Amino acid sequence: MNLSMVMDLYELSMANGFQQSLAGDEGVFDVFYRKVPDDGDFVISAGLESVITAVRDFHFDADDIQYIKNLNLFTPSFIDMLINFKFTGDISAIPEGIPVLPREPLLTVSGPLEQVQLLETIILNLINYQSLIATKAHRITSAAQGRAVMEFGSRRAQGPSAAVLGARAAIIGGCSSTSNVLAAKQYGLPISGTMAHSWIQAFPDELTAFKKWAEIYPDNCLLLIDTYDVLSSGLPHAIQVFKQLAADGHQPIGVRIDSGDIAALAREVRQVLDQAGLHKVKITASSALDEHIIHDMINDDVPLDSFGVGEKLITSATSPVLSGVFKLSAIRRHGEVIPKIKISGTASKVTLPGEKLTYRLYDRVTQQMVGDLIALKHEQVMDTIIGQRINGKVQSQEETLTHFIAIPLQQQVFNQGQVVYESPDVLHIQQVKNKNVTAITQTLAERTDYPVYISKALAQLQAELLNHNES
Amino acid sequence: MNLSMVMDLYELSMANGFQQSLAGDEGVFDVFYRKVPDDGDFVISAGLESVITAVRDFHFDADDIQYIKNLNLFTPSFIDMLINFKFTGDISAIPEGIPVLPREPLLTVSGPLEQVQLLETIILNLINYQSLIATKAHRITSAAQGRAVMEFGSRRAQGPSAAVLGARAAIIGGCSSTSNVLAAKQYGLPISGTMAHSWIQAFPDELTAFKKWAEIYPDNCLLLIDTYDVLSSGLPHAIQVFKQLAADGHQPIGVRIDSGDIAALAREVRQVLDQAGLHKVKITASSALDEHIIHDMINDDVPLDSFGVGEKLITSATSPVLSGVFKLSAIRRHGEVIPKIKISGTASKVTLPGEKLTYRLYDRVTQQMVGDLIALKHEQVMDTIIGQRINGKVQSQEETLTHFIAIPLQQQVFNQGQVVYESPDVLHIQQVKNKNVTAITQTLAERTDYPVYISKALAQLQAELLNHNES
């Protein structure tokens, strides 16, 4: 699959038009979202590594070109541009694993209009989905309070690349492992897996199936105990096999319960295992789990050691869309920067114009995160600045921000078409996420929400453009 | 991306175990679902074409083998089997575009246990997602009552392959076109697209942007009129450009409204267009549409000619999972067929054991669909049979079915590893879907629901295995 062709037709139509009508103009586009899935507080950024590869390798094969030519919509010089496509612009982006608030540019892409427009669909597709899943995985793993959460969703993922990219995003969001072989291979992720009911069904009886498994995987023996009946069949058979394993010098791993009243079953299973002296044998639950079910079970002290989470995670089932957009914020023409705005009847939907930088503000003394600031690129953001909140309940009120250290959130990723950023490995990104989430959660615990400010200069620019376009 | 590696680790673990413990045994697995998304009446089957390709091309590359070897879980002879993997079994399947009811085998896969187990993840992934989207597209296009529905969702699809496979499934389900270039190229789908707000924003003013578009695409001029304000800006500018186009001998296509109160705006826009004599100019709506919004607008006679549907379709947002499963129904050992069952406390979750065939029953006289029958493979299904309903409100009651013509739903797709089925083209599948949906809808209009029966022999086999396993 050539990812460059995963593109809406109108990107081609507009790029063809830009080449004819606005040749030489550069566009500056921001990628941002407006609403956090599941009404959460923030989104965990993810997908940048795949965006870098997709943009670096952006190209059209001979048969792609032939198909596009045959649409009879485009000029020969545009087709030539596609044949020789090479991105020559800049991208800066918030690294993966960082909590991002609504309206903050996750990525900023700039370069010749006809180039940048072509990148819209694939960038949004990759960032929207992976950030969605990292965010959901963060919700689910938070609910698990330190217990392992295994990503299990490949069979219910929305297509093959969702299974693979979603597995990576799930690890970023806090999962301990994935079941997906390709994702584990490609991104060096921890992998795990047990057995399905078919293993047990294929043998004449459950005990034989368990014994065979223990023979083959004596040091990886995690048994699925709900094929026939957990308490009267699966558990006693598992205990029989575990005792033999232990006698042979192996440590049995655990049991998995995949159906029924998980909480009630887990309590009984724990008791019976303990009575059998199998205190180290762990209990794993699966079966359509999500953050709410896990949260409730842990609150009720259900004795579960880990969770296998499938469809609810890999599709973010209760909130399956992150609606990131790709909006023009400025045109560069002959060295001049012309800020651009998209108007809407809803104030929060009016875009933030101009070339901007987003800062995370830390208190100079306590080092605590105190809020984010979106300012114009050329502004000095030091020590004191007047800002105006754009999220939360209090809007449009000017506040003087002071005693902060401002750290820019975005890093440069492409410079004049060259990749200048190296993605950390996924487990490192997971650590970055943990650290940042701990910090923002601490701030959120002390306030009703986390403030995002725009600078007075940005607010004024927005007001000017609004007046200009409405007049 | 090697689709064969889009696999849960436990498939490898089980296959390795089967090769050691049950060498020579063949497994028969059914793919079916239990619950229709969005509480609908049926699922539209989709994804078979991609399953055929995935199974035909199933293989492991040298680096895949190296990765799997390094897991240190598997025997050398299993690794050899992977290196030389070639599916040698059979697959039969319900063709794409057919309404399928809960518990009916969408696919049946049989062959050496260790081969078939490896196919589980990718088959479920492809069938679950594509059938989900075909079903959602059917719901949305039905709501549109003949008006065109354009699939627009690539940027919000769950990863690149969801954009492409989802676009194809959307056409099967009834969409008139997709915006996705790769899907259109690969599957020969109708393609469509307009412009984004960035086109208008990039120019000094909206009128200039519209004029430039009309110059470049005089015969494809569909203008997006909500960048600044629909009624005071977008519409009058569009009308000015359309009049010039008409004067130059071109037929302007239409306007698109992507925000605001679509129903109210569409009414005003229609009136103003008509007053300007532009009766043929169409109005398209987009902006987070789904089947309910479209249904309500059409019921209220909102003058819309077509719809662009994005995230709600391509993710099936209100019901984003089709929970298809892959369950062992029989083992073939030395020529003997041993039926297999998976038990559950919930009656509808007990699997249907044995090698089966599913028939759609048509009344001999009226030719109307009267229900479906799942019977054992060796049963004679002619004229009269005793069945028992397994869906709907009335369960377990024996009924004598008679005066029917029984048409098997599944067709053979693989025979001893060879592909023996040719997928029709997608627009043909859409016609098949239309015809079949019309027929089943007619039946549903006359009854509270559509009955699915199992034969008495199948019911007896299920009861025997239940008793055997519970004793």
Side-chain angles (χ1 to χ4, degrees):
Chain A
M1 174 164 57
N2 179 3
L3 291 187
S4 314
M5 287 283 283
V6 180
M7 179 191 278
D8 294 301
L9 177 65
Y10 76 5
E11 315 289 11
L12 287 166
S13 304
M14 286 189 282
N16 176 65
F18 284 140
Q19 199 198 33
Q20 285 178 62
S21 308
L22 297 174
D25 281 10
E26 295 203 330
V28 182
F29 289 79
D30 292 322
V31 174
F32 61 92
Y33 71 89
R34 295 193 183 99
K35 205 178 156 306
V36 182
D38 286 310
D39 293 322
D41 293 310
F42 48 78
V43 157
I44 301 295
S45 56
L48 182 59
E49 183 180 287
S50 59
V51 164
I52 293 173
T53 313
V55 172
R56 188 195 62 199
D57 299 346
F58 206 86
H59 75 284
F60 299 88
D61 293 321
D63 55 331
D64 301 329
I65 294 293
Q66 197 53 53
Y67 174 78
I68 292 169
K69 242 188 207 168
N70 290 349
L71 293 172
N72 288 321
L73 287 167
F74 310 121
T75 63
S77 78
F78 180 68
I79 299 289
D80 281 346
M81 191 275 272
L82 297 183
I83 292 171
N84 302 303
F85 190 93
K86 170 84 187 70
F87 178 59
T88 60
D90 299 336
I91 298 182
S92 56
I94 298 179
E96 298 184 279
I98 303 288
V100 179
L101 283 289
R103 304 182 73 187
E104 294 180 347
L106 259 156
L107 272 89
T108 301
V109 187
S110 61
L113 263 174
E114 68 276 16
Q115 285 183 22
V116 178
Q117 190 68 61
L118 291 179
L119 303 177
E120 175 178 16
T121 309
I122 191 64
I123 288 179
L124 286 179
N125 177 289
L126 293 170
I127 293 289
N128 278 334
Y129 175 58
Q130 291 175 77
S131 299
L132 177 73
I133 300 309
T135 305
K136 189 65 165 184
H138 163 64
R139 293 174 62 85
I140 293 175
T141 55
S142 295
Q145 295 185 29
R147 289 161 192 80
V149 175
M150 296 164 281
E151 189 284 304
F152 260 19
S154 295
R155 68 194 52 203
R156 307 277 165 80
Q158 296 201 344
S161 53
V164 178
L165 297 173
R168 181 178 179 278
I171 303 287
I172 290 177
C175 285
S176 58
S177 65
T178 177
S179 63
N180 188 280
V181 180
L182 182 52
K185 170 186 174 241
Q186 199 149 309
Y187 304 116
L189 309 180
I191 189 165
S192 66
T194 54
M195 59 173 60
H197 297 116
S198 59
W199 176 263
I200 292 109
Q201 290 175 272
F203 290 86
D205 59 76
E206 193 179 44
L207 184 60
T208 308
F210 285 178
K211 279 183 177 168
K212 286 285 177 192
W213 194 262
E215 265 173 40
I216 300 171
Y217 305 109
D219 297 308
N220 273 296
C221 193
L222 199 159
L223 299 171
L224 177 61
I225 58 174
D226 70 332
T227 306
Y228 302 116
D229 184 83
V230 168
L231 297 173
S232 71
S233 173
L235 182 60
H237 290 149
I239 288 176
Q240 197 174 330
V241 170
F242 288 160
K243 285 192 167 170
Q244 186 61 51
L245 268 181
D248 297 343
H250 300 285
Q251 175 56 50
I253 303 292
V255 294
R256 177 160 75 98
I257 311 170
D258 188 45
S259 60
D261 180 343
I262 302 283
L265 288 170
R267 287 205 170 90
E268 296 220 47
V269 167
R270 182 74 273 159
Q271 206 176 357
V272 177
L273 285 171
D274 287 347
Q275 281 163 359
L278 295 163
H279 302 282
K280 284 190 179 169
V281 167
K282 307 233 187 262
I283 309 176
T284 294
S286 44
S287 180
L289 301 179
D290 64 16
E291 62 267 45
H292 304 293
I293 299 173
I294 291 176
H295 175 269
D296 291 350
M297 289 201 292
I298 287 183
N299 259 19
D300 290 350
D301 289 321
V302 177
L304 288 166
D305 301 287
S306 62
F307 303 94
V309 182
E311 62 197 48
K312 306 279 177 157
L313 167 54
I314 204 74
T315 66
S316 186
T318 49
S319 198
V321 178
L322 175 64
S323 299
V325 294
F326 188 89
K327 290 290 178 192
L328 185 68
S329 61
I331 293 278
R332 297 188 197 130
R333 182 174 295 151
H334 311 308
E336 188 195 357
V337 177
I338 308 161
K340 292 287 181 178
I341 197 164
K342 160 78 182 76
I343 294 181
S344 167
T346 314
S348 66
K349 282 196 159 188
V350 177
T351 61
L352 300 173
E355 295 192 277
K356 301 173 294 290
L357 285 176
T358 305
Y359 302 88
R360 187 139 287 168
L361 308 181
Y362 295 83
D363 184 277
R364 254 190 206 291
V365 179
T366 64
Q367 309 285 320
Q368 201 179 344
M369 284 183 189
V370 291
D372 290 354
L373 171 74
I374 310 174
L376 291 170
K377 200 174 179 179
H378 59 73
E379 284 187 83
Q380 294 264 357
V381 176
M382 289 170 63
D383 225 56
T384 298
I385 196 164
I386 295 174
Q388 188 173 313
R389 285 201 55 170
I390 56 166
N391 68 338
K393 279 157 203 153
V394 190
Q395 283 212 2
S396 314
Q397 199 178 317
E398 283 188 3
E399 280 180 58
T400 302
L401 311 175
T402 185
H403 299 298
F404 58 75
I405 302 163
I407 311 285
L409 278 180
Q410 288 192 342
Q411 296 189 24
Q412 191 158 24
V413 171
F414 278 85
N415 180 19
Q416 296 185 38
Q418 297 304 309
V419 179
V420 292
Y421 177 85
E422 196 178 342
S423 288
D425 77 49
V426 179
L427 291 177
H428 177 79
I429 298 172
Q430 190 191 61
Q431 286 171 8
V432 166
K433 176 247 150 193
N434 289 341
K435 202 182 127 201
N436 280 274
V437 163
T438 302
I440 200 168
T441 304
Q442 204 180 335
T443 303
L444 280 163
E446 294 169 14
R447 335 186 24 147
T448 52
D449 56 3
Y450 184 88
V452 177
Y453 303 96
I454 56 174
S455 69
K456 193 172 176 177
L458 175 53
Q460 282 171 345
L461 175 65
Q462 194 188 37
E464 272 167 39
L465 290 174
L466 264 174
N467 289 336
H468 172 77
N469 278 293
E470 279 175 348
S471 65
Chain B
M1 177 163 57
N2 179 3
L3 290 187
S4 314
M5 287 283 281
V6 180
M7 176 190 280
D8 294 300
L9 176 65
Y10 77 5
E11 315 290 11
L12 287 166
S13 303
M14 286 189 283
N16 175 65
F18 284 139
Q19 200 199 31
Q20 286 178 60
S21 309
L22 298 174
D25 282 11
E26 294 203 332
V28 182
F29 289 80
D30 291 323
V31 173
F32 61 92
Y33 71 89
R34 296 192 183 98
K35 205 180 156 305
V36 182
D38 286 312
D39 294 321
D41 293 310
F42 48 77
V43 157
I44 301 295
S45 57
L48 182 59
E49 182 179 288
S50 58
V51 165
I52 294 173
T53 313
V55 173
R56 188 195 63 200
D57 299 346
F58 207 86
H59 76 285
F60 298 88
D61 292 321
D63 55 330
D64 301 329
I65 294 292
Q66 196 54 52
Y67 174 79
I68 292 169
K69 243 188 205 167
N70 290 348
L71 293 172
N72 288 320
L73 288 168
F74 311 121
T75 63
S77 78
F78 180 66
I79 299 290
D80 281 348
M81 191 275 270
L82 297 183
I83 292 171
N84 302 305
F85 190 94
K86 170 84 187 70
F87 177 60
T88 59
D90 298 337
I91 298 182
S92 57
I94 299 179
E96 298 184 281
I98 303 288
V100 180
L101 283 290
R103 304 182 71 187
E104 294 181 349
L106 258 156
L107 271 89
T108 300
V109 187
S110 61
L113 263 175
E114 68 276 15
Q115 284 182 21
V116 178
Q117 190 68 61
L118 291 179
L119 303 177
E120 175 178 15
T121 309
I122 192 66
I123 288 179
L124 286 180
N125 177 289
L126 293 169
I127 293 289
N128 278 333
Y129 175 58
Q130 291 174 77
S131 298
L132 176 74
I133 300 309
T135 305
K136 188 67 166 183
H138 163 63
R139 293 174 64 83
I140 294 175
T141 55
S142 296
Q145 294 184 29
R147 289 161 193 80
V149 175
M150 296 166 280
E151 189 283 304
F152 261 18
S154 294
R155 67 195 54 202
R156 306 279 165 81
Q158 296 202 343
S161 53
V164 178
L165 297 173
R168 180 178 180 279
I171 303 288
I172 289 176
C175 285
S176 58
S177 65
T178 178
S179 63
N180 188 281
V181 180
L182 182 52
K185 170 189 173 236
Q186 198 150 309
Y187 304 116
L189 310 179
I191 190 165
S192 67
T194 55
M195 60 173 61
H197 297 115
S198 59
W199 176 263
I200 292 110
Q201 288 175 273
F203 290 85
D205 59 76
E206 191 179 45
L207 184 59
T208 308
F210 285 179
K211 280 182 176 169
K212 285 288 177 189
W213 194 263
E215 265 174 39
I216 300 171
Y217 305 110
D219 296 308
N220 272 295
C221 194
L222 199 159
L223 299 171
L224 177 61
I225 59 173
D226 70 332
T227 306
Y228 304 116
D229 184 83
V230 169
L231 297 173
S232 71
S233 174
L235 183 59
H237 290 150
I239 287 175
Q240 196 175 331
V241 169
F242 288 160
K243 287 194 164 168
Q244 186 60 50
L245 268 179
D248 296 345
H250 301 284
Q251 175 58 49
I253 303 291
V255 293
R256 176 160 75 99
I257 311 171
D258 187 45
S259 59
D261 179 345
I262 302 282
L265 288 170
R267 288 204 169 90
E268 294 220 48
V269 166
R270 183 73 272 157
Q271 205 176 356
V272 176
L273 285 171
D274 287 348
Q275 281 162 359
L278 295 163
H279 303 282
K280 284 191 180 169
V281 167
K282 307 236 187 257
I283 309 177
T284 293
S286 43
S287 181
L289 301 179
D290 64 19
E291 63 267 46
H292 304 293
I293 299 172
I294 291 175
H295 175 269
D296 291 349
M297 290 200 292
I298 287 181
N299 260 18
D300 289 351
D301 290 321
V302 176
L304 287 166
D305 301 287
S306 62
F307 302 95
V309 182
E311 60 196 49
K312 307 278 179 160
L313 167 54
I314 204 75
T315 66
S316 187
T318 50
S319 199
V321 178
L322 176 63
S323 299
V325 293
F326 188 89
K327 290 289 178 192
L328 184 69
S329 62
I331 293 278
R332 298 188 196 127
R333 182 175 294 153
H334 312 307
E336 187 197 359
V337 176
I338 309 161
K340 293 287 180 177
I341 196 164
K342 160 78 184 78
I343 294 181
S344 167
T346 314
S348 66
K349 282 195 158 188
V350 177
T351 61
L352 300 173
E355 295 192 278
K356 303 173 292 291
L357 285 176
T358 305
Y359 301 88
R360 187 140 287 169
L361 308 180
Y362 296 83
D363 184 279
R364 256 191 203 291
V365 180
T366 65
Q367 309 285 319
Q368 202 179 341
M369 284 183 190
V370 291
D372 290 353
L373 171 74
I374 310 174
L376 291 170
K377 199 173 177 179
H378 60 73
E379 284 187 83
Q380 294 262 358
V381 177
M382 287 174 63
D383 227 53
T384 298
I385 193 162
I386 295 176
Q388 188 172 313
R389 286 201 55 171
I390 56 166
N391 68 339
K393 279 157 205 154
V394 190
Q395 284 213 358
S396 315
Q397 201 179 316
E398 282 189 3
E399 280 179 58
T400 302
L401 310 175
T402 185
H403 297 299
F404 57 77
I405 301 162
I407 310 285
L409 278 180
Q410 288 193 341
Q411 295 189 25
Q412 191 159 24
V413 172
F414 279 85
N415 180 18
Q416 297 184 35
Q418 297 303 309
V419 180
V420 293
Y421 177 84
E422 197 178 343
S423 288
D425 79 48
V426 180
L427 291 177
H428 177 80
I429 298 172
Q430 190 190 61
Q431 286 171 9
V432 167
K433 175 245 148 194
N434 289 341
K435 201 180 128 202
N436 280 274
V437 164
T438 302
I440 199 168
T441 305
Q442 203 180 333
T443 303
L444 279 163
E446 293 169 16
R447 333 183 28 144
T448 52
D449 56 3
Y450 184 88
V452 178
Y453 304 95
I454 56 173
S455 69
K456 192 173 177 174
L458 175 53
Q460 281 170 344
L461 175 65
Q462 194 188 36
E464 272 166 38
L465 290 175
L466 264 175
N467 289 336
H468 172 78
N469 278 293
E470 278 173 350
S471 62

